[in-house]
Amino acid sequence: MRRDAFLTVTGSFGAGLALAVAGCAPRRTATVPDYQPSPEPSVTFAPNAWVHLRTDGTALVMLNKSEMGQGVYTGLPMLVAEELDLPWERIRVEMAPAEERYADPVFKDMTTGGSTSLAVMYPLLRGAGAAARAMLVAAAAKRWGVPAAECTTKDGAVHHAASNRTLSYGDLAVEAGTMPVPKQVALKEPGRFFLIGTSPKRLDVEAKSRGTAQYGIDVSVPGMVFANVLKAPTFGGTVASVDDGAARQVAGVLDVVKISSGVAVVASNTWAAMQGRDKLGVTWHDGPNAHINTPQLFADAEKAARTSGVVAGKHGDVDRAAGRTLEAVYKGPFLAHAAMEPMNATADVRADACEVWAPTQVQTRSKTAAMKITGLPAEKVNVHTTFMGGGFGRRLDEDYVVDAVEISKAVKKPVKVTWRREDDIKNDFYRPMSVNVVRAKLAGNKITAWEHRVASPSIVKRWLPPMFKNGVDFAAVDQVTPEAYAFANARTTYADFDPGVPVGFMRAPGANWNTFVTESFVDELAHAAGQDPLAFRLALLSPKATRERAALEQVAKAANWGHPRTPGAAHGIALTNWGGSIAALVAEVSVKGKDIVVHRATVAADCGVVVHPDIVVAQLQGAIMYGIAMAMTAKITLTNGRIDQSNFYDYTVLRMANAPAVDVHVIKSTEKPTGVGELGTPPIAPAIANAVFKLTGKRVRQLPFSDGLA
Amino acid sequence: MKSLTINGVAHDVDAPDEMPLLWVIRDMVGLTGTKFGCGVRQCGACTVHLDGEAVRSCTTSVAQAAGKKVTTIEGLAGDGNHPVQRAWIEQAVPQCGYCQSGQIMSAAALLSKTPKPGDPEIDAAMSGNICRCGCYVRIKSAIKRAAELA
């Protein structure tokens, strides 16, 4: 067997599948030795961009989604292995280069976000695996002179039962490459799955337990120098003057360069760069945003919510509905993502090419930014995706890539730029603040009208302008009027309140705040109606909301609703829909003075077909913890346009001692798979607030709880 | 020149006394398993062992480490199969994984002193290590599993 055989197969298929697979020849990008070990170079045939079969019987899956902990590095290759009937141990993975053929069919570029990876790639990668399998079968059938229909596949081999013959994929790989790429492939019936629905070993678990996983911050390129950037203290601030004399005296400092985001100090190691940065004398033009103060923002936003805003959705007539009116105002702060790996990127800008290594959720945007800065065409700019030390939406922006490319261009060397934690907290694209005025009319036990008026800065207007339509940010109003509830009359308004603070997507954007408001206010209405909050919700559900009903019923049973295990504790409940997945959550909570103790979170989740059950459990566990961190003490505030918080001592997040137990119940479903990476975040804060109300009679309408319960 | 012993190997590094051990390990010695998270002893991502004690390498100067045995995640067990690492793999603890070197080093130091820790001991020893993915349920469970494997 020729191990160096390399046969190019082109073609495409798609009929019978929702999505076509681009069938281009594999073009392996060079990897830097220290960055990521390249798999064995024995690629033998590649029926499409996604899967390469090798003569050693392994398959390399090209991954177009970034791994930030959510499990795509395992879950997506499982789809290929399933249709290929290949044992899990023979799957290898490599991050795909930022090229058009790896574009997400919905986003139309390489982007990882919105809990969409598995849902979108499910048919596509299964089809890719099935196409490879069909070509292997065709090769075996040809060699044996038997009809392909008589051949079966199992454990990485083709069998012919009638003649009791078997050929391994490795033995067939070269011939398979000469077979026509099928125009159509049949996917397995779910009853025949051997891998989907099981929890094979995560492909990144060993490297991540041994310190060998390569994150962006670990990238090492020959001749590389290290940089740190002093950024403007205000948003939109610019450099007025630079005195870099003292900085240049610091041992190890090599250069000081002005870039668009501030002043970069380049040195022979990261620490020297940081020391140099501290010695910079920079004066700033503050720009237009130097007078932002958080208390004023909340006052202005409430006014905007009450008096302005466009109608984002309505049915019926809330004004004419009968019943007594209840109103509440909810206020949520800006939040920072605070991913564990500080923002960083490495770039090597040369006259004729540019290489970028980045822990990024947006390869295409990163590449476009590098092309713009360098003036190089697409084929001369390569973006290499590393593991990410957390994303949570922060890395949907590419500002740290811009830093690296600009600095490398200026100093003409490969540069790794690493932000300090303080830079990360003070230069985020923040979860938007929001003021929500909610009103409902209650007639007996029935909600006859629901009005939700939102004022918050728009992410979509900046990040995806074509989707900012008629003055409405669809993310900002997500879940403000939950479809699961049968409100006879409802109206949602949105006021684009833009104080000049950069905002971005954060785990379950929109819903991570709006679900707090809606599920708290529904609870207020339940108590106003004298109803049990669970029974009230079940009665309120629309007849179509069968999955929500099942989730509520299952979580109530699992948590033994109304009967907390801990003496003196109370239960609170909340329901959410995120990206088509559903979660109902019961929190078991105690209040001691002003301290809230969350003992346990019980969640019932429906995310359609479950590919890797243990990853689903892990994502729900983690997303709930993230939601607790967002709600308990975290807030970003501004004084005179400057972010008040700096690091984990004043932007406090969840630690182990305050982490609750989590019981996850995944509902069996044959619905198409939907996202699970963000699903657990929205329902935890309202569930806690609802338990706090039961315990204290105090309704928390402002987060974090450390402020709202004060 | 400072002489450091990291994972049993002597390294001579040209670093000023006050340079944090973290950056010597990462940028000079080239061992990148030890992570930068906060720089101010708040998150624990940079945890290493100094003569067997868990310390935050971001605020430990190279001068403080000279003459002592420094152990990083890469040297915790020669084969990468320390009981804590085996438990981490078995229970699929990491998500993004970035904090896990520090978590594992803190957990290994805990178990070396308290072989069968209960929840209060685990909370006390591990609350200096932040995990933004929120893997706390599994970290706690895996520490108990590692205690069985040890």
Side-chain angles (χ1 to χ4, degrees), chain A residues 444-574:
Chain A
N445 297 342
K446 303 279 184 205
I447 298 175
T448 54
W450 173 274
E451 181 180 23
H452 197 146
R453 306 184 66 88
V454 179
S456 72
S458 172
I459 306 166
V460 169
K461 191 171 69 171
R462 172 185 69 86
W463 199 87
L464 202 58
M467 293 297 287
F468 186 77
K469 289 178 184 161
N470 306 317
V472 175
D473 181 318
F474 68 89
V477 296
D478 189 38
Q479 302 301 314
V480 298
T481 303
E483 283 181 24
Y485 293 140
F487 300 123
N489 303 286
R491 181 166 62 209
T492 300
T493 66
Y494 172 69
D496 173 19
F497 174 73
D498 183 3
V501 178
V503 291
F505 298 112
M506 186 161 163
R507 205 168 192 171
N512 68 35
W513 168 250
N514 292 330
T515 298
F516 174 73
V517 178
T518 57
E519 283 299 283
S520 294
F521 194 56
V522 164
D523 217 70
E524 292 197 49
L525 296 168
H527 287 286
Q531 298 287 304
D532 170 76
L534 170 66
F536 187 77
R537 282 175 173 78
L538 289 170
L540 186 58
L541 285 179
S542 118
K544 287 182 200 159
T546 53
R547 297 171 79 186
E548 284 86 350
R549 181 174 300 278
L552 278 170
E553 287 172 347
Q554 182 156 345
V555 79
K557 190 177 170 194
N560 195 15
W561 168 247
H563 302 280
R565 302 180 189 190
T566 311
H571 275 164
I573 195 164

Side-chain angles (χ1 to χ4, degrees), chain A residues 68-69 208-211 215 217-218 270-271 337-338 340 342 419 421 614 618-619 621-622 626 647 654-655 657, chain B residues 19-20 26-27 32-33 35-38 40 42 80-81 85 95-98 104 127 130 132-134 136 138-139:
Chain A
M68 61 193 107
K208 288 177 175 179
S209 300
R210 291 176 176 143
Y215 299 85
I217 204 169
D218 303 328
T270 310
W271 186 72
H337 299 77
M340 287 309 299
W419 291 20
R421 175 60 58 194
D614 190 59
Q619 283 303 295
Q621 290 171 332
Y626 201 82
N647 203 318
L654 186 70
R655 293 172 184 271
Chain B
M19 184 166 175
R26 286 184 56 83
D27 287 358
T32 55
K35 299 304 191 215
F36 169 56
C38 70
V40 291
Q42 285 285 312
N81 281 321
Q85 292 171 307
Q95 289 186 26
C96 89
Y98 191 81
I104 289 168
S127 282
I130 294 171
R132 289 289 283 148
C133 297
Y136 296 124
R138 292 183 187 221
I139 291 169

Side-chain angles (χ1 to χ4, degrees), chain A residues 21 40 102 111 126 160 163 216 225 262 291 303 349 360 414 444 545 588-589 601 708:
Chain A
V21 177
E40 287 293 305
Y102 291 112
T111 295
R126 287 179 65 198
H160 184 243
S163 61
V225 293
H291 304 290
K303 189 176 169 199
V349 178
T360 182
E588 183 173 315
V589 175

Side-chain angles (χ1 to χ4, degrees), chain A residues 246-265:
Chain A
R248 288 179 183 273
Q249 295 301 309
V250 171
V253 168
L254 304 170
D255 209 344
V256 177
V257 294
K258 224 169 100 174
I259 60 171
S260 59
S261 72
V263 181
V265 176

